[in-house]
Amino acid sequence: MTATTDIVAKLWNLCHILRDDGITYHQYVTELTYLIFLKMAAETGAEDQLPEHHRWADIRKHQGVEQLTFYKELLIHLGTYGSAQVQAIFQNAQTSLRQPRILKALVEAIDGLDWYSAREEGLGNMYEGLLERNATEKKSGAGQYFTPRPLIDSMVALMQPKAGEYVQDPAAGTGGFLIAADRWIKAHTNDLWDLTEAEQYFQRHNAFYGMELVPDAHRLGLMNLMLHDVSGDLQLGDALSEQGTRLHKADLILTNPPFGTKKGGGLPSRDDFTYPTSNKQLAFLQHIYRGLKPGGRAAVVLPDNVLFEDNTGRDIRRDLMDKCDLHTILRLPTGIFYSQGVKTNVLFFTRGRTDKGNTADVWVYDLRSNMPQFGKTRPLTREHFIDFEAAFGPDPLGKAPRTDEGEQGRFRRFTREQIAARGDNLDVTWLRDEGADDALPEPDVIAAEIIDTLRTALEEMEALTDMLGSDEDADGAVAEAAE
């Protein structure tokens, strides 16, 4: 066991103490973020970012109720004072702790960790290990913000981010894509030393940016970026609102947008979308291909419904294939996300120089059929993507020579004409999933699928209720005006 995994295990085991205080797993990781930030500032000599008398040693000075009271005041103070980075991480921060003994246990446990070894192995690796542990805990619900690292690393390796490029994630979560892109560029530029001083400045301050809607996920993302020495501009906001229009055009977009429909059935408040829709994935897809520079590329995780949904979905797919070269679709195996039943894909595309006829062929790689069920007992690894990466080829634009493996293989080519004949349905399958008819999914998979179905139905009912309410309000206003 490495020092990093040992520290993560010790930190995670502390969550059992918090059950007595009614703290959820996700709240616990947020709580740890506050305390770890303060402790690491003390360990790394970076306490000049913090206002005096609001540092780790100051928490240690207090005991009992006085310590908890001071800690609550400290969180509010750090959200207002200190460096911009400190204020962003502690913005609207508040503790979920109610018992002084719980805070004391956390402070003493964090104080007792092997911080020297953690620094040697990388504080970012430690924090990311904690986020991954949280994401794999079914009770936390945090997996919705966490894309499996093997998948992220594979997408980044295929897209090959380059120094000097703007890299965007409009649904950044905990910042995994931006961090992986930074790691790739540093690995291919001798940790940026091969670049000029101006190029180094761009990479450190301007190359990476994005947006995250959920305040807690945004906070975790800021912390994760900081610990990986990535000074990206991660904004708190909604990319499907007017805020999204302020994200400048990107050379590369890497993202895993949230699944589902917009709460209340409302439409994105974006006047630049040709096809308004309450389906968040379809709305994000429009943001992505419209947000690319000519020649810019994207790799985006999307659920199956984006590939086959009729009406607006079909219109958006046509628009995508007109404006971009949608050269590759990867059908992902099931069980790799927190919602076990969800079926997902990665779409790889390049923005055209014109807005018409950019897609000639779409290559589909089926990594789902006849694959094992992934989960806690069988984790997804980078090795599972080796064959796909070899079939994809070394060109990030998808132009490397490829081989159609036929009906028995996993990689097939479909012309734009063939797709049009299917009504622009991209949900293409050809392999028979052996054993699919013989065995039921695991109970947690079935339960997850039922929950997803009920959630979608509830959201649609809420949307209908809002629409009827709006109509009644309008009728009432007309009646009042008539009187």
Side-chain angles (χ1 to χ4, degrees):
M1 178 180 287
T2 65
T4 295
T5 55
D6 180 53
I7 288 175
V8 170
K10 288 179 178 177
L11 287 172
W12 192 253
N13 286 337
L14 291 173
C15 70
H16 301 302
I17 300 174
L18 302 182
R19 290 178 180 173
D20 294 337
D21 219 13
I23 307 298
T24 67
Y25 288 100
H26 189 60
Q27 287 172 323
Y28 170 59
V29 174
T30 301
E31 205 76 56
L32 273 186
T33 296
Y34 303 146
L35 293 168
I36 290 174
F37 180 92
L38 295 168
K39 175 60 175 175
M40 286 189 302
E43 289 288 329
T44 58
E47 286 191 306
D48 57 341
Q49 297 185 62
L50 304 170
E52 290 185 4
H53 311 302
H54 290 81
R55 300 173 179 178
W56 182 256
D58 298 299
I59 296 177
R60 299 284 288 143
K61 290 178 183 176
H62 301 280
Q63 296 294 324
V65 174
E66 184 182 321
Q67 185 182 49
L68 182 58
T69 301
F70 173 78
Y71 177 56
K72 291 178 179 178
E73 185 274 330
L74 175 143
L75 294 179
I76 296 171
H77 193 81
L78 294 180
T80 309
Y81 301 97
S83 71
Q85 191 174 46
V86 169
Q87 291 185 44
I89 290 176
F90 288 90
Q91 184 179 15
N92 299 319
Q94 54 185 338
T95 181
S96 302
L97 302 178
R98 296 191 295 270
Q99 299 184 44
R101 66 177 181 84
I102 302 293
L103 176 60
K104 179 183 178 181
L106 286 177
V107 169
E108 290 181 349
I110 290 172
D111 241 356
L113 296 175
D114 183 0
W115 288 99
Y116 175 80
S117 297
R119 287 197 302 273
E120 289 295 303
E121 293 188 17
L123 294 171
N125 293 335
M126 180 207 73
Y127 190 70
E128 202 159 13
L130 191 64
L131 294 177
E132 186 169 14
R133 186 70 178 264
N134 188 38
T136 58
E137 173 54 56
K138 293 179 183 178
K139 296 177 183 177
S140 73
Q144 57 190 308
Y145 308 126
F146 193 94
T147 307
R149 293 304 176 242
L151 174 57
I152 287 178
D153 289 340
S154 180
M155 291 166 63
V156 168
L158 292 172
M159 291 293 95
Q160 301 175 30
K162 299 176 178 63
E165 291 187 326
Y166 284 104
V167 181
Q168 179 193 134
D169 185 347
T174 56
F177 280 109
L178 300 179
I179 289 166
D182 174 74
R183 186 184 298 128
W184 174 274
I185 292 172
K186 286 176 177 174
H188 289 79
T189 59
N190 188 23
D191 204 23
L192 305 184
W193 287 109
D194 292 343
L195 306 180
T196 66
E197 187 175 336
E199 289 169 338
Q200 290 182 30
Y201 183 89
F202 174 83
Q203 288 305 129
R204 291 196 172 101
H205 300 283
N206 305 120
F208 306 102
Y209 63 105
M211 192 166 282
E212 171 53 42
L213 175 64
V214 180
D216 276 349
H218 176 252
R219 194 187 320 278
L220 301 182
L222 288 173
M223 182 75 164
N224 206 13
L225 289 170
M226 182 198 73
L227 294 181
H228 284 89
D229 196 27
V230 180
S231 299
D233 180 20
L234 181 56
Q235 302 176 34
L236 177 63
D238 183 2
L240 300 184
S241 72
E242 184 188 354
Q243 293 171 300
T245 64
R246 298 197 289 268
L247 293 173
H248 55 77
K249 301 283 186 181
D251 297 286
L252 174 60
I253 295 180
L254 299 159
T255 190
N256 176 11
F259 302 162
T261 56
K262 195 169 177 64
K263 293 297 182 184
L267 299 178
S269 51
R270 291 278 295 268
D271 56 12
D272 60 327
F273 285 177
T274 306
Y275 306 101
T277 172
S278 62
N279 182 309
K280 286 189 287 190
Q281 308 98 68
L282 289 171
F284 266 107
L285 183 56
Q286 289 187 86
H287 166 86
I288 292 161
Y289 67 76
R290 290 176 173 276
L292 289 171
K293 295 179 181 179
R297 58 206 186 282
V300 52
V301 181
L302 293 167
D304 274 13
N305 73 284
V306 170
L307 303 183
F308 61 74
E309 189 169 303
D310 284 334
N311 304 317
T312 302
R314 182 172 57 248
D315 292 337
I316 291 172
R317 289 193 299 275
R318 286 175 180 164
D319 196 38
L320 168 67
M321 289 185 283
D322 272 342
K323 289 183 169 62
C324 301
D325 176 16
L326 175 61
H327 52 80
T328 312
I329 297 175
L330 170 63
R331 290 169 56 83
L332 290 169
T334 58
I336 66 174
F337 290 102
Y338 78 106
S339 186
Q340 293 287 311
V342 70
K343 296 179 179 178
T344 54
N345 314 267
V346 183
L347 273 60
F348 299 86
F349 50 88
T350 307
R351 188 69 153 92
R353 304 288 174 180
T354 65
D355 285 350
K356 287 293 181 182
N358 280 287
T359 298
D361 303 299
V362 178
W363 289 78
V364 181
Y365 192 98
D366 187 348
L367 194 60
R368 183 183 306 167
S369 300
N370 303 315
M371 290 292 287
Q373 178 71 40
F374 291 97
K376 265 190 174 182
T377 57
R378 182 182 278 121
L380 185 73
T381 67
R382 181 66 186 281
E383 284 68 32
H384 290 110
F385 295 98
I386 288 177
D387 291 341
F388 166 63
E389 291 177 20
F392 185 100
D395 184 356
L397 303 181
K399 297 303 183 185
R402 295 176 167 184
T403 301
D404 188 322
E405 298 176 357
E407 292 186 0
Q408 302 305 311
R410 291 193 179 275
F411 205 28
R412 300 292 311 277
R413 169 182 171 268
F414 300 90
T415 66
R416 181 68 184 88
E417 290 72 26
Q418 288 174 310
I419 293 168
R422 293 171 47 84
D424 292 308
N425 184 325
L426 292 167
D427 188 29
V428 185
T429 58
W430 62 91
L431 289 173
R432 184 178 185 276
D433 204 347
E434 301 295 338
D437 300 328
D438 303 327
L440 288 172
E442 293 294 323
D444 60 337
V445 175
I446 297 174
E449 289 177 339
I450 293 172
I451 291 170
D452 285 344
T453 301
L454 291 174
R455 183 183 293 115
T456 300
L458 181 60
E459 289 172 346
E460 290 176 351
M461 290 173 64
E462 289 175 348
L464 180 60
T465 301
D466 287 349
M467 290 174 62
L468 293 174
S470 298
D471 290 343
E472 290 174 1
D473 291 344
D475 291 343
V478 170
E480 289 178 6
E483 293 173 358

